[in-house]
């Protein structure tokens, strides 16, 4: 029998240069990855590269990372998409979104594929093995609001302003934000927020459950640190299994969910029993 040797190559996390080109910084320490939107001179406007590099970060984070914090440098969390992405030239080194069009169905398919790639930068933030936190000060507009919505939890400084501006620009929100928005605020409020493109203050965001916590701007970092410490205190396997269970609770029936709880608990108890027997054998 031929036994083929499999070589597992761990993908490398993006380099500092790649991160900087995408307007990002990344720090990984003590089970926590902090991703900083770092183009303050453009109010942390993001480009396609920002999102594909974010996806790359998600694919290559060490498995020891349990918490991902996303924050912004300067006065704004993010002013959304870099508006130059819609211009004829695009942004340096990246195609204009409009540049895909004009080539008929092939161009439209290529644009849809590009957007799917951008969405990958947002979707991984919901995976069960991590808890993602958006730490928002100042504006979170359009794609910036959607990035905050892509996170499990949002901690807002009291000057935060959330705005789904896409419809006002003739667009739709397409960076995975519509589902968490509707799940959180309900369909009617989501329609009102998106179709008026109005700004939501931090206190209204708390009332709408768009923020888990609103704090004085000077206390934002400390509040996030406290939340991170509390989350890290829970055993990782139980945290991941519970997050997965809670995610499945949305939309299912009570009976289906009760069955999932039973299965998840049997898996948990089996794992704990294995750990105990290994501990007593060792
Ligand atoms: N794209 C490109 N450049 C931007 C963006 C952006 N989204 N947002 C801000 N900038 C630039 C400004 O043009 C300005 O550049 P300059 O210094 O060369 O003049 C610089 O960043 C600072 O911006 P100001 O407007 O001076 O900063 P201020 O704090 O007064 O306002 C705010 C911040 C409210 C975010 C404002 O810049 C703004 O409304 N930006 C546009 C928001 C937008 O429409 N985003 C797209 C949403 S749709 C989507 O994301 C899919």
């Amino acid at each position: 029998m031929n036994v083929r040797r499999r070589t597992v190559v761990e993908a490398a996390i993006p380099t500092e240069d790649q991160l900087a080109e995408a307007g990002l910084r990344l720090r990984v320490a003590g089970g926590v990855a902090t991703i900083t939107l770092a183009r303050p001179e453009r109010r942390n406007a993001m480009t396609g590269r920002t999102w594909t590099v974010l996806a790359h970060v998600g694919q290559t984070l060490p498995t020891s990372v349990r918490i991902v914090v996303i924050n912004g440098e300067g006065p704004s969390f993010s002013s959304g998409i870099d508006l130059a992405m819609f211009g004829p030239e695009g942004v340096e080194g990246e195609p204009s979104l409009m540049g895909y069009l004009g080539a008929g169905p092939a161009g439209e398919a290529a644009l849809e594929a590009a957007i799917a790639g951008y969405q990958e930068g947002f979707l991984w933030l919901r995976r069960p093995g991590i808890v993602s936190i958006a730490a928002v000060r100042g504006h979170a507009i359009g794609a910036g609001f959607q990035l905050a919505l892509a996170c499990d939890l949002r901690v807002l400084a009291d000057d935060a302003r959330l705005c789904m501006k896409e419809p006002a620009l003739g667009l739709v929100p397409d960076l995975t934000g519509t589902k968490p928005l509707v799940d959180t605020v309900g369909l009617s409020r989501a329609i009102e927020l998106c179709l008026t493109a109005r700004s939501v203050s931090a206190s209204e965001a708390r009332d709408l459950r768009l923020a888990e916590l609103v704090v004085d701007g000077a206390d934002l970092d400390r509040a996030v640190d406290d939340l991170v410490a509390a989350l890290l205190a829970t055993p990782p396997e139980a945290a991941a299994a519970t997050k997965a269970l809670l995610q499945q609770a949305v939309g299912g029936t009570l009976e289906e969910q009760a069955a999932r709880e039973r299965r998840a608990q049997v898996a948990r108890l089996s794992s704990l029993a294995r750990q105990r027997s290994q501990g007593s054998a060792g």
Side-chain angles (χ1 to χ4, degrees):
M1 190 171 76
N2 267 342
V3 180
R4 264 197 274 163
R5 220 175 240 274
R6 281 183 55 205
T7 316
V8 179
V9 180
E10 254 194 59
I13 60 172
T15 63
E16 282 198 14
D17 284 351
Q18 287 170 325
L19 289 161
E21 258 190 348
L24 296 169
R25 277 199 311 274
L26 171 66
R27 194 171 83 92
V28 178
V32 183
T34 304
I35 299 170
T36 300
L37 306 172
R39 274 182 94 202
E41 71 288 357
R42 285 269 169 270
R43 299 296 182 265
N44 301 328
M46 301 180 282
T47 70
R49 182 179 282 135
T50 313
W51 304 319
T52 51
V53 171
L54 262 181
H56 184 177
V57 170
Q59 287 151 10
T60 54
L61 272 185
T63 48
S64 57
V65 169
R66 296 187 50 204
I67 312 288
V68 175
V69 176
I70 303 188
N71 57 24
E73 186 178 336
S76 299
F77 178 72
S78 172
S79 61
I81 194 169
D82 189 318
L83 292 168
M85 292 274 292
F86 298 118
E89 308 283 322
V91 293
E92 206 184 318
E94 292 184 57
S96 156
L97 292 175
M98 299 303 187
Y100 284 96
L101 304 173
E108 287 175 12
L111 179 55
E112 200 175 321
I115 295 171
Y118 302 157
Q119 289 173 333
E120 292 299 319
F122 295 67
L123 289 169
W124 66 272
L125 292 161
R126 293 279 181 180
R127 72 184 179 219
I130 57 165
V131 179
S132 51
I133 304 170
V136 180
R137 66 171 84 247
H139 291 102
I141 300 179
F145 186 15
Q146 294 192 69
L147 184 58
L149 283 167
C151 292
D152 295 311
L153 307 174
R154 281 154 294 282
V155 181
L156 268 50
D158 53 6
D159 70 344
R161 310 279 297 171
L162 311 177
C163 171
M164 199 67 91
K165 196 168 174 189
E166 287 83 345
L169 299 177
L171 305 166
V172 297
D174 66 343
L175 293 166
T176 77
T178 55
K179 180 163 171 54
L181 182 67
V182 171
D183 286 349
T184 307
V185 304
L187 178 59
S188 299
R189 181 62 70 190
I191 290 171
E192 184 263 326
L193 290 180
C194 292
L195 274 60
T196 63
R198 73 177 173 86
S199 280
V200 174
S201 68
S203 64
E204 186 186 0
R206 180 176 40 206
D207 293 345
L208 291 176
R209 300 188 185 176
L210 285 166
E212 277 54 56
L213 205 57
V214 174
V215 297
D216 190 90
D219 296 332
L220 183 62
D221 293 344
R222 199 176 46 211
V224 171
D225 287 349
D226 289 349
L227 178 57
V228 167
L231 290 164
L232 284 175
T234 300
E237 296 81 7
T242 303
K243 181 175 164 184
L245 197 53
L246 294 171
Q247 287 175 319
Q248 289 165 331
V250 179
T253 66
L254 184 57
E255 289 72 22
E256 285 162 354
Q257 187 62 10
R260 288 190 193 106
E261 289 175 0
R262 296 193 292 274
R263 287 195 295 271
Q265 194 68 302
V266 170
R268 278 290 64 237
L269 288 167
S270 304
S271 167
L272 289 173
R274 264 195 313 276
Q275 282 167 23
R276 274 188 203 159
S277 70
Q278 280 161 7
S280 60

